[in-house]
Amino acid sequence: MPIVNRVAEFHPEITAWRRDLHANPELMFDVHRTAASVADKLKAFGCDEVVQGIGRTGVVGVIRGRNDETGGRARVIGLRADMDALPIEEATGLPYKSTVPGKMHACGHDGHTAMLLGAAKYLAETRNFGGTAIVIFQPAEEGGGGGREMVNDGMMERFGVEEVYGMHNYPGMPVGQFGMRTGPIMAAADYVTIEIEGKGAHAARPHLGIDPILVGAQMVNQLQSIVSRNVDPLESGVVSICVFQAGTTNNVIPQTAKLVGTIRSLTDAVRDQLETRVKEICEGVASLHGARARVGYHRGYPVTVNHAAQTAFAAEVATEIAGTDRVNEQLAPMMGAEDFSYMLNARPGAFIFVGNGEASAGLHHPAYDFNDEVIPLGSSYWVRLVEKAMPA
């Protein structure tokens, strides 16, 4: 695979950075050690500008290439990596395993950060491009909306970002392969809380009460009809009720019950449809049984939508690194969510996947570990994207 030779030389150093991050995971916006380490390295690389505190704890590095010899305005392209870990107890037994109880890098953000740092080191050293590369290190991808916060903090305008690109590892995809698609590639993630109020009673006299457990069970069943009977079969949707809380003992019908679930979609139209039907079904089923339902529907990350021109360009770059037969330009969309979506809503760009190996544990699993063999591929992709998009 034609990875960048100089990046290959950095491989042991980048691996050491990655493993240090892995051993010291931080959650959400509380990534102060990670952000400080990133900022210190960017300064040591000789970045033209390093700014901390974007979107609360995000870090942005500016690397200017050679002057644009065409006489036109130099382009500005953003490259994004996420920094935060997950509240999971690690079960890998690795020598560099998490030193923080209840926290681990179970999604590979340590690898994402390290690969972009490796690319930043190379780009700052060579400057073999004609525009400006903005390296973006984002906090709180895992539920906190750090991408939204960085956008709302004016990052795109402040640094003049015209296009933005992201990358995530993909367990189950062989090392050396890339995958992407134009259009929706990851889902919107909403969540619903349903509070059911019935009428408590002795379990031996159910006719004197209104059983919220029965009501909740009917809701769970009926909610599954939304995707199977309301959503177009050629569209995608997920309704999963993952929490059902009710009762404290075996002979009392409780007064209340609570359901909590997640709702996923790949288009705004289906997203609206799911929200409407969830509310209608919950309120209707409760009314049918003489109970009351309070439905709290909360919209989370929007759909991650890749732009056509930028995705085609990303595929070209990936093909240079991996070869034509190792780049899947029609990767099936996933129902997981990603807050890079906010950046793609603000600027055109593309989000792609790089293979993490077929034998690795899945994302968000206690036995997951980022595959360090991916590092030269990911860093080379970033380097060639900048050099190809903005030739010196």
Side-chain angles (χ1 to χ4, degrees), residues 80 107 141 168-169 181 183-189 264-267 301-306 331-341 344 351-353 363:
R80 172 269 201 177
C107 202
E141 191 281 324
H168 202 291
N169 75 96
R181 70 179 293 110
I185 190 168
M186 296 192 75
R264 306 294 175 105
S265 53
L266 288 172
T267 67
Y301 294 172
V303 182
T304 303
V305 181
N306 277 344
L331 186 71
M334 296 163 220
M335 302 311 287
E338 167 62 60
D339 80 340
F340 187 64
S341 53
L344 288 177
F351 189 71
I352 76 163
F353 289 92
L363 301 175

PDB file of all heavy atoms in Angstrom, residues 80 107 141 168-169 181 183-189 264-267 301-306 331-341 344 351-353 363:
ATOM      1  N   ARG A  80     -10.956  16.766  10.946  1.00  0.00           N
ATOM      2  CA  ARG A  80     -11.447  16.641  12.315  1.00  0.00           C
ATOM      3  C   ARG A  80     -11.206  15.261  12.924  1.00  0.00           C
ATOM      4  O   ARG A  80     -11.397  14.249  12.270  1.00  0.00           O
ATOM      5  CB  ARG A  80     -12.927  16.972  12.333  1.00  0.00           C
ATOM      6  CG  ARG A  80     -13.642  16.716  13.654  1.00  0.00           C
ATOM      7  CD  ARG A  80     -14.214  15.320  13.715  1.00  0.00           C
ATOM      8  NE  ARG A  80     -15.288  15.154  14.677  1.00  0.00           N
ATOM      9  CZ  ARG A  80     -15.957  14.021  14.837  1.00  0.00           C
ATOM     10  NH1 ARG A  80     -15.667  12.964  14.109  1.00  0.00           N
ATOM     11  NH2 ARG A  80     -16.929  13.933  15.723  1.00  0.00           N
ATOM     12  N   CYS A 107     -14.009   3.407  21.569  1.00  0.00           N
ATOM     13  CA  CYS A 107     -14.503   3.753  20.234  1.00  0.00           C
ATOM     14  C   CYS A 107     -13.386   4.159  19.285  1.00  0.00           C
ATOM     15  O   CYS A 107     -13.631   4.473  18.136  1.00  0.00           O
ATOM     16  CB  CYS A 107     -15.544   4.874  20.341  1.00  0.00           C
ATOM     17  SG  CYS A 107     -16.661   4.985  18.929  1.00  0.00           S
ATOM     18  N   GLU A 141     -17.766  13.888  21.600  1.00  0.00           N
ATOM     19  CA  GLU A 141     -18.558  13.275  20.520  1.00  0.00           C
ATOM     20  C   GLU A 141     -19.552  12.273  21.087  1.00  0.00           C
ATOM     21  O   GLU A 141     -20.646  12.094  20.557  1.00  0.00           O
ATOM     22  CB  GLU A 141     -17.625  12.570  19.515  1.00  0.00           C
ATOM     23  CG  GLU A 141     -18.301  12.134  18.230  1.00  0.00           C
ATOM     24  CD  GLU A 141     -19.115  10.855  18.351  1.00  0.00           C
ATOM     25  OE1 GLU A 141     -18.693   9.943  19.092  1.00  0.00           O
ATOM     26  OE2 GLU A 141     -20.176  10.759  17.709  1.00  0.00           O
ATOM     27  N   HIS A 168     -13.526   7.718  10.759  1.00  0.00           N
ATOM     28  CA  HIS A 168     -13.755   6.853  11.912  1.00  0.00           C
ATOM     29  C   HIS A 168     -13.287   5.451  11.571  1.00  0.00           C
ATOM     30  O   HIS A 168     -13.420   4.996  10.436  1.00  0.00           O
ATOM     31  CB  HIS A 168     -15.247   6.816  12.261  1.00  0.00           C
ATOM     32  CG  HIS A 168     -15.529   6.420  13.677  1.00  0.00           C
ATOM     33  ND1 HIS A 168     -15.308   5.141  14.160  1.00  0.00           N
ATOM     34  CD2 HIS A 168     -16.010   7.141  14.720  1.00  0.00           C
ATOM     35  CE1 HIS A 168     -15.655   5.103  15.434  1.00  0.00           C
ATOM     36  NE2 HIS A 168     -16.077   6.296  15.801  1.00  0.00           N
ATOM     37  N   ASN A 169     -12.740   4.760  12.562  1.00  0.00           N
ATOM     38  CA  ASN A 169     -12.347   3.369  12.348  1.00  0.00           C
ATOM     39  C   ASN A 169     -13.573   2.473  12.281  1.00  0.00           C
ATOM     40  O   ASN A 169     -14.632   2.805  12.811  1.00  0.00           O
ATOM     41  CB  ASN A 169     -11.393   2.919  13.450  1.00  0.00           C
ATOM     42  CG  ASN A 169     -12.089   2.663  14.766  1.00  0.00           C
ATOM     43  OD1 ASN A 169     -12.442   1.524  15.094  1.00  0.00           O
ATOM     44  ND2 ASN A 169     -12.303   3.724  15.546  1.00  0.00           N
ATOM     45  N   ARG A 181     -19.877   6.726   1.394  1.00  0.00           N
ATOM     46  CA  ARG A 181     -20.991   6.832   0.460  1.00  0.00           C
ATOM     47  C   ARG A 181     -21.448   8.285   0.422  1.00  0.00           C
ATOM     48  O   ARG A 181     -21.305   9.029   1.401  1.00  0.00           O
ATOM     49  CB  ARG A 181     -22.151   5.924   0.852  1.00  0.00           C
ATOM     50  CG  ARG A 181     -22.893   6.346   2.093  1.00  0.00           C
ATOM     51  CD  ARG A 181     -24.057   5.415   2.423  1.00  0.00           C
ATOM     52  NE  ARG A 181     -25.120   5.487   1.441  1.00  0.00           N
ATOM     53  CZ  ARG A 181     -25.409   4.505   0.587  1.00  0.00           C
ATOM     54  NH1 ARG A 181     -24.708   3.388   0.585  1.00  0.00           N
ATOM     55  NH2 ARG A 181     -26.398   4.639  -0.276  1.00  0.00           N
ATOM     56  N   GLY A 183     -24.401  11.059   0.473  1.00  0.00           N
ATOM     57  CA  GLY A 183     -25.703  11.126   1.118  1.00  0.00           C
ATOM     58  C   GLY A 183     -25.648  10.652   2.551  1.00  0.00           C
ATOM     59  O   GLY A 183     -24.585  10.643   3.175  1.00  0.00           O
ATOM     60  N   PRO A 184     -26.784  10.241   3.120  1.00  0.00           N
ATOM     61  CA  PRO A 184     -26.819   9.811   4.516  1.00  0.00           C
ATOM     62  C   PRO A 184     -25.918   8.601   4.747  1.00  0.00           C
ATOM     63  O   PRO A 184     -26.068   7.578   4.087  1.00  0.00           O
ATOM     64  CB  PRO A 184     -28.288   9.451   4.740  1.00  0.00           C
ATOM     65  CG  PRO A 184     -29.041  10.205   3.689  1.00  0.00           C
ATOM     66  CD  PRO A 184     -28.133  10.238   2.501  1.00  0.00           C
ATOM     67  N   ILE A 185     -25.001   8.726   5.704  1.00  0.00           N
ATOM     68  CA  ILE A 185     -24.101   7.618   6.021  1.00  0.00           C
ATOM     69  C   ILE A 185     -24.257   7.160   7.455  1.00  0.00           C
ATOM     70  O   ILE A 185     -23.968   6.015   7.787  1.00  0.00           O
ATOM     71  CB  ILE A 185     -22.633   7.990   5.715  1.00  0.00           C
ATOM     72  CG1 ILE A 185     -21.726   6.751   5.824  1.00  0.00           C
ATOM     73  CG2 ILE A 185     -22.140   9.126   6.603  1.00  0.00           C
ATOM     74  CD1 ILE A 185     -20.337   6.950   5.267  1.00  0.00           C
ATOM     75  N   MET A 186     -24.734   8.057   8.338  1.00  0.00           N
ATOM     76  CA  MET A 186     -25.051   7.683   9.716  1.00  0.00           C
ATOM     77  C   MET A 186     -26.346   8.372  10.133  1.00  0.00           C
ATOM     78  O   MET A 186     -26.727   9.394   9.573  1.00  0.00           O
ATOM     79  CB  MET A 186     -23.903   8.027  10.665  1.00  0.00           C
ATOM     80  CG  MET A 186     -22.632   7.234  10.359  1.00  0.00           C
ATOM     81  SD  MET A 186     -21.379   7.365  11.646  1.00  0.00           S
ATOM     82  CE  MET A 186     -22.075   6.291  12.909  1.00  0.00           C
ATOM     83  N   ALA A 187     -27.005   7.784  11.102  1.00  0.00           N
ATOM     84  CA  ALA A 187     -28.386   8.157  11.411  1.00  0.00           C
ATOM     85  C   ALA A 187     -28.503   9.332  12.371  1.00  0.00           C
ATOM     86  O   ALA A 187     -27.576   9.650  13.117  1.00  0.00           O
ATOM     87  CB  ALA A 187     -29.118   6.957  12.003  1.00  0.00           C
ATOM     88  N   ALA A 188     -29.681   9.941  12.345  1.00  0.00           N
ATOM     89  CA  ALA A 188     -30.074  10.844  13.421  1.00  0.00           C
ATOM     90  C   ALA A 188     -30.384  10.003  14.650  1.00  0.00           C
ATOM     91  O   ALA A 188     -30.920   8.897  14.538  1.00  0.00           O
ATOM     92  CB  ALA A 188     -31.306  11.656  13.025  1.00  0.00           C
ATOM     93  N   ALA A 189     -30.050  10.509  15.824  1.00  0.00           N
ATOM     94  CA  ALA A 189     -30.272   9.770  17.066  1.00  0.00           C
ATOM     95  C   ALA A 189     -31.127  10.612  18.007  1.00  0.00           C
ATOM     96  O   ALA A 189     -30.669  11.610  18.550  1.00  0.00           O
ATOM     97  CB  ALA A 189     -28.945   9.425  17.732  1.00  0.00           C
ATOM     98  N   ARG A 264     -34.048   6.096  15.586  1.00  0.00           N
ATOM     99  CA  ARG A 264     -33.024   6.384  14.579  1.00  0.00           C
ATOM    100  C   ARG A 264     -33.649   6.522  13.196  1.00  0.00           C
ATOM    101  O   ARG A 264     -34.604   5.817  12.854  1.00  0.00           O
ATOM    102  CB  ARG A 264     -31.967   5.270  14.552  1.00  0.00           C
ATOM    103  CG  ARG A 264     -31.321   4.964  15.912  1.00  0.00           C
ATOM    104  CD  ARG A 264     -30.503   6.137  16.414  1.00  0.00           C
ATOM    105  NE  ARG A 264     -29.976   5.942  17.748  1.00  0.00           N
ATOM    106  CZ  ARG A 264     -28.694   5.664  18.022  1.00  0.00           C
ATOM    107  NH1 ARG A 264     -27.815   5.535  17.041  1.00  0.00           N
ATOM    108  NH2 ARG A 264     -28.306   5.542  19.266  1.00  0.00           N
ATOM    109  N   SER A 265     -33.068   7.404  12.381  1.00  0.00           N
ATOM    110  CA  SER A 265     -33.584   7.632  11.029  1.00  0.00           C
ATOM    111  C   SER A 265     -32.471   8.176  10.146  1.00  0.00           C
ATOM    112  O   SER A 265     -31.462   8.694  10.650  1.00  0.00           O
ATOM    113  CB  SER A 265     -34.751   8.623  11.067  1.00  0.00           C
ATOM    114  OG  SER A 265     -34.375   9.808  11.752  1.00  0.00           O
ATOM    115  N   LEU A 266     -32.673   8.070   8.836  1.00  0.00           N
ATOM    116  CA  LEU A 266     -31.660   8.524   7.881  1.00  0.00           C
ATOM    117  C   LEU A 266     -32.120   9.697   7.025  1.00  0.00           C
ATOM    118  O   LEU A 266     -31.347  10.199   6.210  1.00  0.00           O
ATOM    119  CB  LEU A 266     -31.237   7.370   6.966  1.00  0.00           C
ATOM    120  CG  LEU A 266     -30.366   6.286   7.613  1.00  0.00           C
ATOM    121  CD1 LEU A 266     -30.177   5.119   6.653  1.00  0.00           C
ATOM    122  CD2 LEU A 266     -29.010   6.842   8.032  1.00  0.00           C
ATOM    123  N   THR A 267     -33.384  10.131   7.190  1.00  0.00           N
ATOM    124  CA  THR A 267     -33.867  11.308   6.471  1.00  0.00           C
ATOM    125  C   THR A 267     -34.707  12.159   7.417  1.00  0.00           C
ATOM    126  O   THR A 267     -35.290  11.650   8.381  1.00  0.00           O
ATOM    127  CB  THR A 267     -34.730  10.932   5.252  1.00  0.00           C
ATOM    128  OG1 THR A 267     -35.944  10.328   5.705  1.00  0.00           O
ATOM    129  CG2 THR A 267     -33.995   9.987   4.311  1.00  0.00           C
ATOM    130  N   TYR A 301     -28.382  14.057  17.790  1.00  0.00           N
ATOM    131  CA  TYR A 301     -27.551  14.354  16.628  1.00  0.00           C
ATOM    132  C   TYR A 301     -28.356  14.208  15.341  1.00  0.00           C
ATOM    133  O   TYR A 301     -29.134  13.253  15.190  1.00  0.00           O
ATOM    134  CB  TYR A 301     -26.365  13.397  16.557  1.00  0.00           C
ATOM    135  CG  TYR A 301     -25.366  13.525  17.688  1.00  0.00           C
ATOM    136  CD1 TYR A 301     -24.341  12.603  17.828  1.00  0.00           C
ATOM    137  CD2 TYR A 301     -25.449  14.558  18.614  1.00  0.00           C
ATOM    138  CE1 TYR A 301     -23.410  12.703  18.846  1.00  0.00           C
ATOM    139  CE2 TYR A 301     -24.528  14.671  19.639  1.00  0.00           C
ATOM    140  CZ  TYR A 301     -23.506  13.734  19.756  1.00  0.00           C
ATOM    141  OH  TYR A 301     -22.600  13.827  20.769  1.00  0.00           O
ATOM    142  N   PRO A 302     -28.183  15.117  14.398  1.00  0.00           N
ATOM    143  CA  PRO A 302     -28.872  14.979  13.106  1.00  0.00           C
ATOM    144  C   PRO A 302     -28.219  13.915  12.238  1.00  0.00           C
ATOM    145  O   PRO A 302     -27.169  13.357  12.578  1.00  0.00           O
ATOM    146  CB  PRO A 302     -28.712  16.378  12.488  1.00  0.00           C
ATOM    147  CG  PRO A 302     -27.493  16.944  13.124  1.00  0.00           C
ATOM    148  CD  PRO A 302     -27.421  16.372  14.500  1.00  0.00           C
ATOM    149  N   VAL A 303     -28.850  13.644  11.105  1.00  0.00           N
ATOM    150  CA  VAL A 303     -28.308  12.681  10.135  1.00  0.00           C
ATOM    151  C   VAL A 303     -26.953  13.189   9.634  1.00  0.00           C
ATOM    152  O   VAL A 303     -26.775  14.387   9.372  1.00  0.00           O
ATOM    153  CB  VAL A 303     -29.274  12.515   8.942  1.00  0.00           C
ATOM    154  CG1 VAL A 303     -28.745  11.480   7.957  1.00  0.00           C
ATOM    155  CG2 VAL A 303     -30.663  12.127   9.433  1.00  0.00           C
ATOM    156  N   THR A 304     -25.999  12.280   9.521  1.00  0.00           N
ATOM    157  CA  THR A 304     -24.696  12.615   8.941  1.00  0.00           C
ATOM    158  C   THR A 304     -24.801  12.428   7.433  1.00  0.00           C
ATOM    159  O   THR A 304     -24.952  11.301   6.952  1.00  0.00           O
ATOM    160  CB  THR A 304     -23.594  11.716   9.517  1.00  0.00           C
ATOM    161  OG1 THR A 304     -23.574  11.848  10.941  1.00  0.00           O
ATOM    162  CG2 THR A 304     -22.233  12.101   8.955  1.00  0.00           C
ATOM    163  N   VAL A 305     -24.731  13.530   6.701  1.00  0.00           N
ATOM    164  CA  VAL A 305     -24.968  13.509   5.257  1.00  0.00           C
ATOM    165  C   VAL A 305     -23.692  13.953   4.527  1.00  0.00           C
ATOM    166  O   VAL A 305     -23.246  15.091   4.670  1.00  0.00           O
ATOM    167  CB  VAL A 305     -26.145  14.428   4.863  1.00  0.00           C
ATOM    168  CG1 VAL A 305     -26.385  14.363   3.361  1.00  0.00           C
ATOM    169  CG2 VAL A 305     -27.406  14.036   5.623  1.00  0.00           C
ATOM    170  N   ASN A 306     -23.126  13.043   3.748  1.00  0.00           N
ATOM    171  CA  ASN A 306     -21.942  13.351   2.955  1.00  0.00           C
ATOM    172  C   ASN A 306     -22.316  14.091   1.678  1.00  0.00           C
ATOM    173  O   ASN A 306     -23.285  13.742   1.002  1.00  0.00           O
ATOM    174  CB  ASN A 306     -21.209  12.064   2.582  1.00  0.00           C
ATOM    175  CG  ASN A 306     -20.294  11.561   3.675  1.00  0.00           C
ATOM    176  OD1 ASN A 306     -19.961  12.298   4.597  1.00  0.00           O
ATOM    177  ND2 ASN A 306     -19.888  10.311   3.583  1.00  0.00           N
ATOM    178  N   LEU A 331     -20.671   2.022   0.623  1.00  0.00           N
ATOM    179  CA  LEU A 331     -20.807   1.437   1.948  1.00  0.00           C
ATOM    180  C   LEU A 331     -22.228   1.649   2.465  1.00  0.00           C
ATOM    181  O   LEU A 331     -22.771   2.752   2.368  1.00  0.00           O
ATOM    182  CB  LEU A 331     -19.807   2.087   2.908  1.00  0.00           C
ATOM    183  CG  LEU A 331     -19.715   1.493   4.315  1.00  0.00           C
ATOM    184  CD1 LEU A 331     -19.058   0.115   4.260  1.00  0.00           C
ATOM    185  CD2 LEU A 331     -18.915   2.421   5.229  1.00  0.00           C
ATOM    186  N   ALA A 332     -22.819   0.608   3.002  1.00  0.00           N
ATOM    187  CA  ALA A 332     -24.186   0.733   3.512  1.00  0.00           C
ATOM    188  C   ALA A 332     -24.229   1.720   4.670  1.00  0.00           C
ATOM    189  O   ALA A 332     -23.334   1.726   5.520  1.00  0.00           O
ATOM    190  CB  ALA A 332     -24.690  -0.632   3.974  1.00  0.00           C
ATOM    191  N   PRO A 333     -25.253   2.575   4.725  1.00  0.00           N
ATOM    192  CA  PRO A 333     -25.362   3.507   5.851  1.00  0.00           C
ATOM    193  C   PRO A 333     -25.583   2.758   7.156  1.00  0.00           C
ATOM    194  O   PRO A 333     -26.058   1.624   7.168  1.00  0.00           O
ATOM    195  CB  PRO A 333     -26.570   4.368   5.481  1.00  0.00           C
ATOM    196  CG  PRO A 333     -27.346   3.564   4.510  1.00  0.00           C
ATOM    197  CD  PRO A 333     -26.359   2.720   3.775  1.00  0.00           C
ATOM    198  N   MET A 334     -25.216   3.403   8.262  1.00  0.00           N
ATOM    199  CA  MET A 334     -25.331   2.791   9.587  1.00  0.00           C
ATOM    200  C   MET A 334     -26.314   3.570  10.433  1.00  0.00           C
ATOM    201  O   MET A 334     -26.466   4.777  10.274  1.00  0.00           O
ATOM    202  CB  MET A 334     -23.963   2.766  10.264  1.00  0.00           C
ATOM    203  CG  MET A 334     -22.947   1.909   9.539  1.00  0.00           C
ATOM    204  SD  MET A 334     -21.290   2.291  10.070  1.00  0.00           S
ATOM    205  CE  MET A 334     -20.435   2.211   8.505  1.00  0.00           C
ATOM    206  N   MET A 335     -26.947   2.861  11.361  1.00  0.00           N
ATOM    207  CA  MET A 335     -27.936   3.507  12.219  1.00  0.00           C
ATOM    208  C   MET A 335     -27.326   4.054  13.497  1.00  0.00           C
ATOM    209  O   MET A 335     -28.035   4.572  14.359  1.00  0.00           O
ATOM    210  CB  MET A 335     -29.069   2.534  12.536  1.00  0.00           C
ATOM    211  CG  MET A 335     -29.780   2.011  11.292  1.00  0.00           C
ATOM    212  SD  MET A 335     -30.274   3.286  10.096  1.00  0.00           S
ATOM    213  CE  MET A 335     -31.655   4.045  10.964  1.00  0.00           C
ATOM    214  N   GLY A 336     -26.016   3.945  13.651  1.00  0.00           N
ATOM    215  CA  GLY A 336     -25.324   4.677  14.702  1.00  0.00           C
ATOM    216  C   GLY A 336     -25.294   6.154  14.345  1.00  0.00           C
ATOM    217  O   GLY A 336     -25.557   6.541  13.200  1.00  0.00           O
ATOM    218  N   ALA A 337     -24.966   7.001  15.321  1.00  0.00           N
ATOM    219  CA  ALA A 337     -24.987   8.450  15.108  1.00  0.00           C
ATOM    220  C   ALA A 337     -23.597   9.045  15.312  1.00  0.00           C
ATOM    221  O   ALA A 337     -22.728   8.435  15.944  1.00  0.00           O
ATOM    222  CB  ALA A 337     -25.990   9.110  16.046  1.00  0.00           C
ATOM    223  N   GLU A 338     -23.417  10.241  14.800  1.00  0.00           N
ATOM    224  CA  GLU A 338     -22.106  10.890  14.810  1.00  0.00           C
ATOM    225  C   GLU A 338     -22.297  12.404  14.771  1.00  0.00           C
ATOM    226  O   GLU A 338     -22.996  12.919  13.902  1.00  0.00           O
ATOM    227  CB  GLU A 338     -21.319  10.407  13.584  1.00  0.00           C
ATOM    228  CG  GLU A 338     -20.083  11.171  13.235  1.00  0.00           C
ATOM    229  CD  GLU A 338     -19.024  11.137  14.310  1.00  0.00           C
ATOM    230  OE1 GLU A 338     -18.554  10.036  14.670  1.00  0.00           O
ATOM    231  OE2 GLU A 338     -18.659  12.235  14.794  1.00  0.00           O
ATOM    232  N   ASP A 339     -21.664  13.111  15.719  1.00  0.00           N
ATOM    233  CA  ASP A 339     -21.914  14.556  15.753  1.00  0.00           C
ATOM    234  C   ASP A 339     -21.026  15.341  14.796  1.00  0.00           C
ATOM    235  O   ASP A 339     -21.085  16.571  14.767  1.00  0.00           O
ATOM    236  CB  ASP A 339     -21.839  15.103  17.176  1.00  0.00           C
ATOM    237  CG  ASP A 339     -20.430  15.347  17.673  1.00  0.00           C
ATOM    238  OD1 ASP A 339     -19.477  14.770  17.110  1.00  0.00           O
ATOM    239  OD2 ASP A 339     -20.279  16.109  18.641  1.00  0.00           O
ATOM    240  N   PHE A 340     -20.252  14.647  13.966  1.00  0.00           N
ATOM    241  CA  PHE A 340     -19.633  15.323  12.828  1.00  0.00           C
ATOM    242  C   PHE A 340     -20.718  15.858  11.899  1.00  0.00           C
ATOM    243  O   PHE A 340     -20.462  16.722  11.054  1.00  0.00           O
ATOM    244  CB  PHE A 340     -18.709  14.362  12.086  1.00  0.00           C
ATOM    245  CG  PHE A 340     -17.889  14.997  10.993  1.00  0.00           C
ATOM    246  CD1 PHE A 340     -16.944  15.954  11.278  1.00  0.00           C
ATOM    247  CD2 PHE A 340     -18.085  14.638   9.668  1.00  0.00           C
ATOM    248  CE1 PHE A 340     -16.191  16.549  10.273  1.00  0.00           C
ATOM    249  CE2 PHE A 340     -17.334  15.213   8.650  1.00  0.00           C
ATOM    250  CZ  PHE A 340     -16.386  16.172   8.961  1.00  0.00           C
ATOM    251  N   SER A 341     -21.926  15.342  12.076  1.00  0.00           N
ATOM    252  CA  SER A 341     -23.069  15.811  11.291  1.00  0.00           C
ATOM    253  C   SER A 341     -23.247  17.321  11.382  1.00  0.00           C
ATOM    254  O   SER A 341     -23.638  17.971  10.401  1.00  0.00           O
ATOM    255  CB  SER A 341     -24.343  15.110  11.763  1.00  0.00           C
ATOM    256  OG  SER A 341     -24.512  15.245  13.164  1.00  0.00           O
ATOM    257  N   LEU A 344     -20.851  18.916   9.006  1.00  0.00           N
ATOM    258  CA  LEU A 344     -21.281  18.750   7.621  1.00  0.00           C
ATOM    259  C   LEU A 344     -22.521  19.578   7.304  1.00  0.00           C
ATOM    260  O   LEU A 344     -22.774  19.890   6.139  1.00  0.00           O
ATOM    261  CB  LEU A 344     -21.560  17.275   7.331  1.00  0.00           C
ATOM    262  CG  LEU A 344     -20.326  16.375   7.242  1.00  0.00           C
ATOM    263  CD1 LEU A 344     -20.739  14.927   7.030  1.00  0.00           C
ATOM    264  CD2 LEU A 344     -19.386  16.828   6.127  1.00  0.00           C
ATOM    265  N   PHE A 351     -17.457  12.203   5.445  1.00  0.00           N
ATOM    266  CA  PHE A 351     -17.085  11.362   6.589  1.00  0.00           C
ATOM    267  C   PHE A 351     -16.846   9.963   6.049  1.00  0.00           C
ATOM    268  O   PHE A 351     -17.711   9.405   5.363  1.00  0.00           O
ATOM    269  CB  PHE A 351     -18.228  11.359   7.602  1.00  0.00           C
ATOM    270  CG  PHE A 351     -17.891  10.706   8.913  1.00  0.00           C
ATOM    271  CD1 PHE A 351     -17.013  11.308   9.802  1.00  0.00           C
ATOM    272  CD2 PHE A 351     -18.468   9.495   9.267  1.00  0.00           C
ATOM    273  CE1 PHE A 351     -16.714  10.719  11.023  1.00  0.00           C
ATOM    274  CE2 PHE A 351     -18.179   8.900  10.482  1.00  0.00           C
ATOM    275  CZ  PHE A 351     -17.304   9.511  11.364  1.00  0.00           C
ATOM    276  N   ILE A 352     -15.669   9.396   6.323  1.00  0.00           N
ATOM    277  CA  ILE A 352     -15.342   8.088   5.776  1.00  0.00           C
ATOM    278  C   ILE A 352     -14.926   7.137   6.897  1.00  0.00           C
ATOM    279  O   ILE A 352     -14.659   7.551   8.025  1.00  0.00           O
ATOM    280  CB  ILE A 352     -14.233   8.170   4.708  1.00  0.00           C
ATOM    281  CG1 ILE A 352     -12.863   8.372   5.363  1.00  0.00           C
ATOM    282  CG2 ILE A 352     -14.502   9.274   3.706  1.00  0.00           C
ATOM    283  CD1 ILE A 352     -11.706   8.055   4.448  1.00  0.00           C
ATOM    284  N   PHE A 353     -14.858   5.848   6.545  1.00  0.00           N
ATOM    285  CA  PHE A 353     -14.443   4.821   7.490  1.00  0.00           C
ATOM    286  C   PHE A 353     -13.157   4.164   7.006  1.00  0.00           C
ATOM    287  O   PHE A 353     -12.947   3.981   5.811  1.00  0.00           O
ATOM    288  CB  PHE A 353     -15.535   3.768   7.643  1.00  0.00           C
ATOM    289  CG  PHE A 353     -16.743   4.265   8.384  1.00  0.00           C
ATOM    290  CD1 PHE A 353     -17.815   4.822   7.694  1.00  0.00           C
ATOM    291  CD2 PHE A 353     -16.806   4.221   9.766  1.00  0.00           C
ATOM    292  CE1 PHE A 353     -18.930   5.298   8.359  1.00  0.00           C
ATOM    293  CE2 PHE A 353     -17.915   4.692  10.449  1.00  0.00           C
ATOM    294  CZ  PHE A 353     -18.970   5.237   9.752  1.00  0.00           C
ATOM    295  N   LEU A 363     -17.160  -1.616  18.419  1.00  0.00           N
ATOM    296  CA  LEU A 363     -17.129  -0.319  19.096  1.00  0.00           C
ATOM    297  C   LEU A 363     -17.988  -0.370  20.347  1.00  0.00           C
ATOM    298  O   LEU A 363     -19.014  -1.042  20.404  1.00  0.00           O
ATOM    299  CB  LEU A 363     -17.642   0.769  18.153  1.00  0.00           C
ATOM    300  CG  LEU A 363     -16.867   0.943  16.833  1.00  0.00           C
ATOM    301  CD1 LEU A 363     -17.559   1.973  15.958  1.00  0.00           C
ATOM    302  CD2 LEU A 363     -15.422   1.332  17.085  1.00  0.00           C
TER     303      LEU A 363
END
